[in-house]
Amino acid sequence: MELHHEFTVPVPVDDAWRALLDVERIAPCMPGATVDDYDGKTVTGSVKVKVGPITVTYRGTAVFEEQDESAHRMVLIANGKETRGQGTARATVTGTLAERDDGTAVSVRTDLTVTGRPAQFGRGVMAEVGDKLVGQFAECLARHLEEPTARAEPPETVEPFRSAQPVRPVQPVQPVEPIDLLRTAGPPVAKRVAVAVATAVLALVFVRIRRHRHA
């Protein structure tokens, strides 16, 4: 399925471009996502999706196939597989940035293929979920970009016998909330899940009645 989303961030296009390529910085704005490693081109991590009482975790990689700074265009290819199941997800994401008077317009086109439990909801519901998730990401990204840059502290004097290699402080790992399809999409998904659950219950009852009769 193909999805198209647009949003605006309140910074010049060059600043927005650098921010979107700074995966570690924007990772907290990605709903349900955890970034384990990023080498400048390949991102390794996971995404959690909740479908009713079931939480599905996809692990995989996302590779920047194109980063055209002059055109402000990027292409990202992501592949993931359920950690406890046979479901898969693949997406080709093309993002383009354009300067606007009030900031930068970001256009994102996604060619998405999903198998497994989340695939049962179809394009309409997935598009609605995508709209809301992109909206949440855009709001979070705007807040991050509007934060004032921390004042640089004067460098400390390094004693001769100490290493001058900077040490990056270890940040505590915060638990990541999964993307809740029911809560995100609202009534359309809830209705489908209710129908699916009701059908499963009726099938179970039917099977038990048949077994009872045969017994």
Side-chain angles (χ1 to χ4, degrees):
M1 69 184 74
E2 293 186 359
L3 306 173
H4 182 213
H5 301 95
E6 294 183 346
F7 60 92
T8 302
V9 290
V11 295
V13 65
D14 290 333
D15 292 345
W17 173 261
R18 287 191 294 269
L20 289 172
L21 291 180
D22 190 349
V23 174
E24 294 177 339
R25 179 184 178 187
I26 67 174
C29 290
M30 301 176 187
T34 299
V35 174
D36 297 328
D37 186 53
Y38 176 52
D39 62 7
K41 182 178 180 179
T42 302
V43 184
T44 303
S46 61
V47 176
K48 292 183 179 180
V49 179
K50 186 177 181 182
V51 185
I54 302 172
T55 298
V56 180
T57 300
Y58 293 92
R59 288 197 59 82
T61 60
V63 180
F64 282 99
E65 290 293 321
E66 180 182 334
Q67 294 181 11
D68 188 341
E69 185 174 0
S70 60
H72 295 119
R73 181 178 185 272
M74 63 182 73
V75 178
L76 183 72
I77 298 179
N79 289 279
K81 186 179 183 302
E82 288 185 32
T83 56
R84 296 182 180 180
Q86 299 301 313
T88 61
R90 174 180 172 82
T92 299
V93 183
T94 302
T96 55
L97 284 65
E99 189 82 52
R100 294 290 184 267
D101 292 338
D102 56 347
T104 299
V106 183
S107 174
V108 182
R109 292 189 178 276
T110 306
D111 185 358
L112 176 66
T113 302
V114 180
T115 66
R117 284 162 285 193
Q120 64 183 301
F121 300 121
R123 185 189 184 284
V125 173
M126 295 298 287
E128 183 176 354
V129 171
D131 288 341
K132 294 186 177 181
L133 294 178
V134 169
Q136 294 174 15
F137 172 78
E139 291 177 3
C140 179
L141 179 62
R143 289 196 302 270
H144 274 62
L145 293 177
E146 288 177 333
E147 291 176 355
T149 305
R151 182 176 60 87
E153 296 292 336
E156 295 182 0
T157 302
V158 180
E159 297 181 15
F161 61 88
R162 292 183 180 178
S163 172
Q165 183 68 25
V167 178
R168 180 175 299 177
V170 178
Q171 299 295 331
V173 178
Q174 299 294 330
V176 175
E177 289 293 325
I179 301 170
D180 192 329
L181 290 183
L182 288 178
R183 186 173 59 186
T184 303
V189 177
K191 183 177 179 180
R192 293 193 184 190
V193 172
V195 171
V197 171
T199 302
V201 170
L202 288 175
L204 181 60
V205 170
F206 179 71
V207 169
R208 288 186 174 180
I209 291 175
R210 290 190 60 183
R211 288 179 178 176
H212 180 71
R213 286 180 177 177
H214 285 303

